[in-house]
């Protein structure tokens, strides 16, 4: 049996997905049940504890195949990028109507009626998905009865054209390991959110992204040869080029999503003992 990446393989010594039977060793196998994220965002943790490491986040409307629910935690696999982990069971519900729209604002508010003076029900992050039943003036009314500003939504099959421009909207957002929203993002989360908005499939972690995205750029190229959208990978880190002179990345030095001169970033990171591993170009 070959090795499987545990981040995207729903397998533990005691339990694994049924489709992995014969490929991995486990005491029991389960078909699993598909559930839907009903909270604005849900943590995906490495262990079933509130203080366990945050590996990633799932956004409202995302589907999850759940293989086990115990003591308030669901263990399963996200449908969008295949990540495996533990989510609060309270953030999940049986699947409802298919999502029709997604949030285009960095944060939008859902109201209980067609009045912005009403106390909001919840705040949805960029990329969250909802099923819209009808329009009511400036509001989109969800199947569940929530009212969202229609101008802050778009159909789920509508895509942005510039993923770097999407990332630029998050400048100043806090750095958060495992984060994927305005409340906090990490480097690979920022890239995944930006590419997903453009309809480009993107793995979750930077090493996965380095392996899956684009083609290697000439290793001896001058900085002036780099262009907007090129991806620079270090071990455990990724940044996006805005132009030959600047890049954007979520990073622990600024503890934020920041725009930084390329030369300064390269020198600063090199001082920590890390050199760029690859530069990838998507097209």
């Amino acid at each position: 049996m070959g090795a499987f990446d545990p981040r995207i393989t729903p397998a533990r010594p005691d339990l694994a997905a049924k489709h992995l039977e014969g490929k991995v060793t486990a005491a029991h196998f389960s078909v699993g049940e598909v559930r839907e994220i009903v909270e604005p965002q849900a943590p995906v943790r490495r262990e079933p504890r509130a203080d366990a490491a945050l590996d990633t986040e799932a956004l409202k409307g995302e589907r999850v195949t759940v293989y086990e629910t115990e003591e308030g935690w669901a263990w399963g696999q996200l449908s969008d990028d295949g990540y495996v982990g533990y989510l609060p069971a309270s953030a999940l519900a049986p699947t409802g109507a298919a999502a029709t729209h997604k949030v285009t604002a960095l944060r939008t508010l859902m109201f209980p009626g067609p009045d912005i003076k009403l106390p909001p029900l919840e705040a949805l992050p960029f990329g969250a998905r909802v099923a819209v039943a009808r329009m009511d003036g400036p509001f989109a009314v969800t199947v569940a009865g929530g009212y969202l500003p229609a101008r802050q939504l778009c159909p789920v099959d509508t895509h942005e054209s510039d993923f770097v421009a999407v990332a630029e909207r998050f400048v100043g957002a806090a750095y958060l390991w495992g984060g994927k929203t305005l409340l906090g993002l990490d480097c690979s989360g920022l890239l995944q959110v930006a590419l997903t908005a453009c309809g480009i499939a993107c793995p979750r972690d930077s090493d996965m992204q380095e392996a899956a995205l684009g083609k290697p750029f000439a290793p001896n190229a001058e900085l002036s040869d780099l262009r907007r959208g090129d991806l620079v990978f270090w071990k455990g880190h990724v940044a996006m080029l805005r132009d030959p002179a600047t890049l954007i990345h979520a990073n622990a030095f600024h503890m934020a999503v920041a725009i930084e001169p390329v030369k300064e970033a390269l020198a600063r990171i090199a001082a920590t003992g890390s050199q760029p591993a690859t530069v990838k170009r998507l097209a």
Side-chain angles (χ1 to χ4, degrees):
M1 298 181 185
F4 292 89
D5 189 333
R7 295 171 294 179
I8 53 174
T9 306
R12 307 182 323 213
D14 62 323
L15 178 64
K18 184 70 174 178
H19 67 82
L20 293 173
E21 192 166 9
K23 300 178 182 178
V24 302
T25 301
H28 302 282
F29 292 87
S30 170
V31 174
E33 296 181 338
V34 179
R35 293 289 184 264
E36 182 176 328
I37 302 294
V38 292
E39 296 293 330
Q41 63 204 67
V44 181
R45 300 195 182 276
R46 203 165 301 173
E47 298 176 32
R49 306 191 325 268
D51 62 349
L54 177 68
D55 282 334
T56 187
E57 292 179 311
L59 307 184
K60 188 180 185 75
E62 187 169 356
R63 303 292 169 93
V64 183
T65 301
V66 174
Y67 296 102
E68 177 189 69
T69 302
E70 188 172 345
E71 298 184 354
W73 291 93
W75 180 69
Q77 184 172 33
L78 306 184
S79 61
D80 286 6
D81 61 18
Y83 222 94
V84 175
Y86 293 88
L87 301 94
S90 59
L92 298 167
T95 57
T100 60
H101 290 70
K102 59 186 177 182
V103 176
T104 57
L106 294 184
R107 209 83 181 172
T108 192
L109 298 177
M110 180 184 290
F111 299 93
D115 186 347
I116 61 172
K117 296 180 182 179
L118 294 172
L121 297 173
E122 56 188 16
L124 303 186
F126 180 87
R129 288 167 284 185
V130 294
V132 172
R134 61 187 176 87
M135 295 294 173
D136 183 352
F139 293 97
V141 185
T142 69
V143 171
Y147 286 71
L148 290 160
R151 67 173 59 249
Q152 295 184 329
L153 302 176
C154 74
V156 291
D157 58 357
T158 300
H159 301 305
E160 303 271 356
S161 60
D162 183 348
F163 70 89
V164 179
V166 175
E168 288 170 337
R169 297 180 207 168
F170 286 88
V171 169
Y175 179 84
L176 174 65
W177 182 274
K180 288 178 55 175
T181 78
L182 181 63
L183 297 181
L185 310 91
D186 61 14
C187 65
S188 55
L190 178 65
L191 178 59
Q192 187 185 54
V193 166
L195 287 177
T196 298
C198 295
I200 301 170
C202 179
R204 177 58 179 89
D205 293 343
S206 62
D207 63 320
M208 300 174 177
Q209 295 168 349
E210 182 179 5
L213 298 174
K215 296 181 179 180
F217 194 58
N220 297 320
E222 298 293 331
L223 290 180
S224 60
D225 293 328
L226 299 178
R227 70 187 190 199
R228 186 176 180 87
D230 286 345
L231 306 177
V232 183
F233 290 93
W234 294 260
K235 181 177 175 57
H237 188 62
V238 62
M240 293 164 260
L241 268 292
R242 297 177 66 246
D243 52 51
T246 61
L247 54 74
I248 180 171
H249 56 162
N251 68 92
F253 176 78
H254 296 95
M255 284 305 295
V257 176
I259 293 172
E260 190 172 7
V262 173
K263 290 182 179 179
E264 288 184 17
L266 291 174
R268 177 175 58 76
I269 297 173
T272 69
S274 182
Q275 297 290 339
T278 57
V279 177
K280 304 292 286 287
R281 179 165 288 174
L282 297 186

